[in-house]
Amino acid sequence: MQIIPFDQRDGYIWYNGKQVPWKDAKVHVLNHGLHYASCVFEGIRVYNGKAFKLTEHNERLIASAKLLGFTVPYSVNELNKATNEIVKTQKIENGYIRPVAWRGSEQMAILPTVATKTHVAIATWAWPAYYTEEAKMKGAKLTFAKWKRPHPETAPTKSKAAGLYMIGTLSKMDAHDKGFGEALMLDYRGYVTETTSSNFFLVINGELHTAIPDCFLDGITRRTIIDLAKKRGINVVERRILPNELKDAQEAFMTGTAAEITPVASVDNYTFQVGPVTKGLMQDYDKLVKA
Ligand code: PMP
């Protein structure tokens, strides 16, 4: 399938308060977001024409910007309304939404003064599935990343900040070069954390085990899965996990807006089955997003 480059598509993007033609949604090269990474974003799914967990995502967008010291000049309600409108204009039934907020090009200096404005755009496009159902059920092959999640005093790790994705991009490129589909990242202490774009769970003797999100993103899907597991009567343990504890797990999976629940077949030499706990939660999640 030929993919049309993103800047050459047709349609509209919501940009600073109005819907503009897709190709006109541009930024100047002297842009604080581009030079100094003052940029935060979200990833939201549209299922059957409806944005899933829209309020939670827009709340996180505003909170992420606040952690970088800038203010999104729209309320959650205004962002929700703008998102719903652009989804309608773009006629998206099953797709993806990318809201993004960044400091503009009013001033080129590390210290952003009041002269720097916050800009916001919301783009959406059809995107039925990140992984095909068949690929999903085979399970993804992961490798441990050489890059680590930083100490929360080194970076604003609770923010979905574009700058933090430098670590993810390097890790994912390295994993791909070695023939793996994803990278599982450890933190600065050597504990298991998350992948480059999803949270990570283990199933150990019928219980769910996942890392405490104290230096990485506490995913909206992660929290949803924890709730669904509890509803099924599954015990959920949030704790510090060492890499060699992967040997104790029968199943493993990733969770995220894009990944939904994706089973993991292996992390380097640790192997897992696509088992009953993962499959059950996949069904529950599928039902919930389409409800
Ligand atoms: N961690 C990272 C680094 C991510 O990019 C994502 C995707 N947003 C997640 C976890 C999962 O978060 P969510 O479930 O909110 O999409």
Side-chain angles (χ1 to χ4, degrees):
M1 192 181 69
Q2 210 211 338
I3 295 173
I4 306 168
F6 268 90
D7 57 353
Q8 290 169 32
R9 297 184 179 195
D10 289 319
Y12 288 85
I13 288 177
W14 187 92
Y15 195 2
N16 287 340
K18 51 180 193 277
Q19 297 188 3
V20 303
W22 187 287
K23 289 173 187 142
D24 296 343
K26 292 178 179 168
V27 291
H28 195 272
V29 289
L30 297 178
N31 177 285
H32 205 282
L34 184 62
H35 290 250
Y36 305 121
S38 343
C39 176
V40 297
F41 69 96
E42 273 303 318
I44 310 172
R45 275 260 195 173
V46 183
Y47 294 99
N48 302 329
K50 192 166 175 283
F52 183 63
K53 302 264 180 195
L54 180 58
T55 294
E56 286 86 339
H57 282 284
N58 280 330
E59 281 171 354
R60 189 169 67 184
L61 184 78
I62 291 170
S64 289
K66 208 167 173 194
L67 287 164
L68 299 201
F70 63 93
T71 306
V72 172
Y74 301 97
S75 66
V76 171
N77 281 345
E78 285 168 334
L79 292 172
N80 285 354
K81 188 166 171 275
T83 310
N84 288 329
E85 282 168 7
I86 196 71
V87 165
K88 216 165 161 195
T89 301
Q90 290 284 94
K91 299 188 175 65
I92 305 299
E93 270 301 301
N94 289 292
Y96 187 77
I97 306 165
R98 169 55 58 92
V100 57
W102 68 97
R103 282 195 176 107
S105 48
E106 293 77 15
Q107 192 184 6
M108 230 337 77
I110 288 185
L111 180 69
T113 65
V114 280
T116 326
K117 280 196 203 125
T118 301
H119 300 260
V120 183
I122 308 168
T124 180
W125 57 91
W127 197 37
Y130 195 56
Y131 297 105
T132 63
E133 211 46 41
E134 199 193 330
K136 239 186 183 179
M137 296 321 286
K138 268 198 204 150
K141 288 194 168 136
L142 276 54
T143 185
F144 283 110
K146 66 175 178 183
W147 298 91
K148 306 267 191 288
R149 283 287 169 213
H151 191 296
E153 288 176 9
T154 303
T157 52
K158 288 212 175 309
S159 172
K160 197 167 162 63
L164 288 166
Y165 283 81
M166 172 182 63
I167 307 168
T169 300
L170 287 170
S171 299
K172 189 134 184 176
M173 278 167 33
D174 190 48
H176 265 238
D177 286 348
K178 292 177 180 153
F180 295 92
E182 249 304 344
L184 180 60
M185 311 189 67
L186 305 182
D187 69 13
Y188 60 99
R189 299 163 292 198
Y191 294 122
V192 170
T193 60
E194 56 170 358
T195 80
T196 65
S197 58
S198 58
N199 292 113
F200 182 74
F201 285 80
L202 295 171
V203 180
I204 303 177
N205 302 328
E207 285 184 336
L208 271 194
H209 291 243
T210 195
I212 300 163
D214 57 3
C215 62
F216 61 92
L217 205 67
D218 180 8
I220 291 167
T221 321
R222 176 188 182 277
R223 295 201 294 266
T224 306
I225 298 307
I226 289 175
D227 286 347
L228 289 173
K230 286 182 179 164
K231 277 194 190 127
R232 272 189 176 248
I234 297 169
N235 195 30
V236 182
V237 187
E238 292 182 68
R239 65 177 178 90
R240 310 214 188 283
I241 300 169
L242 283 166
N244 69 8
E245 291 184 70
L246 267 61
K247 69 178 184 322
D248 304 327
Q250 295 78 44
E251 304 175 34
F253 58 85
M254 309 179 272
T255 66
T257 296
E260 302 171 308
I261 301 180
T262 299
V264 172
S266 59
V267 180
D268 288 333
N269 292 326
Y270 300 106
T271 56
F272 313 98
Q273 44 158 307
V274 182
V277 176
T278 308
K279 283 184 189 161
L281 289 169
M282 286 172 87
Q283 280 166 9
D284 291 356
Y285 190 71
D286 196 56
K287 234 190 255 168
L288 180 71
V289 299
K290 289 173 185 159

